[in-house]
């Protein structure tokens, strides 16, 4: 009998959220009476995902354990680990805390509107391609600026995507990529390479192509106060549809 595939979610919630202009970190701000991070955890909890690793700031470990995981009964969260200085350090910490999985879903806890449909689409894509990211085609014209803030180029909008999370990979591939990143971290930083997402880690360290998969324009990242208001509207609309 073939071994059943096992799926892991690494949920990132270690950011400080400086642009939110609030003493409360954005992942713990309330939407509909519950913390932002509650909603993405709920989606993963109710999905096919087998286990969740929650990556948080060192000082938030016990808070998250008591006020998020235990309070809302997220029993798929098997580990709460401390994040690092940069996002990629936090991802590496999450990956290194687990083993024996087939696929890993890496998701920003500040994206509360991730849906079961997005998880299903990315699962299908990672099975075929081994590496994929959720995203949406851009609606605006994009301009490339030079150092003086002048327009240097206008890329073809038909090929431009706004990348989201989850970003999903075969477990061996993403482990290999992050091991290589940490090994060459200083070399990459000295060369001015800024690692901004997991797809870039895979592309840069393994040369493996990454498939773009349809996400949702509702799958926004909470970054500024206006995003909280937008997410509340999306939440109210989804609640009305479920009635």
């Amino acid at each position: 009998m073939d071994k059943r595939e096992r799926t892991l979610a690494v949920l990132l919630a270690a950011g400080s959220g400086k642009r939110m202009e609030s003493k409360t970190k954005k992942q713990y701000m309330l939407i509909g009476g519950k913390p932002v991070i509650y909603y993405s955890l709920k989606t993963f909890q109710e999905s096919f995902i087998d286990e969740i690793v929650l990556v948080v700031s060192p000082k938030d470990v016990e808070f998250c354990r008591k006020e998020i995981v235990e309070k809302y009964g997220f029993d798929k969260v098997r580990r709460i680990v401390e994040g690092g200085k940069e996002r990629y350090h936090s991802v590496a910490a999450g990956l290194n805390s687990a083993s024996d999985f087939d696929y890993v879903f890496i998701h920003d806890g500040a994206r509360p509107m991730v849906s079961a449909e997005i998880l299903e689409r990315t699962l299908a894509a990672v099975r075929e391609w081994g590496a994929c990211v959720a995203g949406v085609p851009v609606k605006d014209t994009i301009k490339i600026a030079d150092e003086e803030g002048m327009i240097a180029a206008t890329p073809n909008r038909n090929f431009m995507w706004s990348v989201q999370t989850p970003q999903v990979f075969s477990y061996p591939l993403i482990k290999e990529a992050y091991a290589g990143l940490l090994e060459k971290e200083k070399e990459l930083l000295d060369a001015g390479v800024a690692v901004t997402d997991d797809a870039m880690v895979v592309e840069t360290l393994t040369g493996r192509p990454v498939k773009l998969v349809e996400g949702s324009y509702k799958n926004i990242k909470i970054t500024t106060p206006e995003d909280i208001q937008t997410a509340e509207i999306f939440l109210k609309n989804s609640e009305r549809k479920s009635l």
Side-chain angles (χ1 to χ4, degrees):
M1 180 181 294
D2 292 337
K3 180 175 74 71
R4 186 181 73 85
E5 65 181 18
R6 284 173 47 78
T7 54
L8 171 73
V10 175
L11 199 66
L12 305 172
S16 59
K18 295 178 181 178
R19 282 178 285 180
M20 187 54 72
E21 301 175 0
S22 171
K23 292 181 180 179
T24 302
K25 294 179 180 178
K26 61 185 179 182
Q27 56 267 39
Y28 308 131
M29 295 180 76
L30 299 183
I31 300 177
K34 294 184 175 65
V36 166
I37 195 174
Y38 161 88
Y39 295 96
S40 51
L41 276 170
K42 182 174 184 289
T43 298
F44 282 100
Q45 171 75 26
E46 296 176 351
S47 75
F48 54 79
I49 291 291
D50 292 295
E51 292 186 19
I52 302 169
V53 173
L54 183 57
V55 186
V56 303
S57 169
K59 67 177 74 172
D60 294 336
V61 171
E62 285 308 309
F63 169 81
C64 284
R65 189 186 313 280
K66 295 177 181 177
E67 298 300 322
I68 305 292
V69 175
E70 294 179 0
K71 180 176 180 178
Y72 296 108
F74 293 133
D75 57 12
K76 285 188 179 181
V77 178
R78 305 295 168 79
R79 289 169 295 283
I80 303 176
V81 302
E82 297 181 2
K85 180 181 178 182
E86 302 292 342
R87 182 187 185 279
Y88 59 85
H89 293 132
S90 294
V91 175
L95 292 173
N96 290 335
S97 73
S99 61
D100 194 28
F101 287 90
D102 296 288
Y103 304 116
V104 181
F105 289 66
I106 303 172
H107 186 66
D108 290 330
R111 289 188 186 272
M113 303 308 295
V114 63
S115 65
E117 291 77 14
I118 293 174
L119 299 188
E120 292 287 351
R121 287 196 292 269
T122 50
L123 177 62
V126 76
R127 283 170 172 163
E128 180 175 0
W129 299 93
C132 69
V133 299
V136 289
V138 300
K139 297 180 179 181
D140 300 319
T141 296
I142 303 299
K143 299 290 186 181
I144 305 298
D146 63 18
E147 294 179 354
E148 297 179 353
M150 305 297 287
I151 295 174
T154 304
N156 188 336
R157 185 172 63 185
N158 293 332
F159 300 103
M160 305 294 291
W161 282 59
S162 178
V163 171
Q164 304 174 340
T165 64
Q167 303 199 355
V168 190
F169 308 91
S170 77
Y171 184 77
L173 175 65
I174 197 66
K175 284 279 285 185
E176 174 193 348
Y178 267 91
L181 173 64
L182 296 180
E183 182 181 335
K184 298 181 178 180
E185 181 178 10
K186 186 178 185 305
E187 176 184 334
L188 292 169
L189 290 174
D190 290 344
V193 177
V195 177
T196 55
D197 74 345
D198 311 296
M200 185 178 179
V201 177
V202 170
E203 295 165 47
T204 303
L205 276 301
T206 72
R208 183 76 172 266
V210 180
K211 180 69 173 176
L212 287 161
V213 180
E214 179 188 358
S216 169
Y217 290 103
K218 294 180 181 179
N219 186 25
I220 63 172
K221 186 175 183 180
I222 304 298
T223 305
T224 64
E226 294 78 12
D227 297 328
I228 288 286
Q229 298 171 17
T230 301
E232 286 179 336
I233 293 171
F234 288 154
L235 178 62
K236 289 178 182 178
N237 288 341
S238 64
E239 288 176 343
R240 280 198 290 267
K241 290 180 180 179
S242 64
L243 293 176

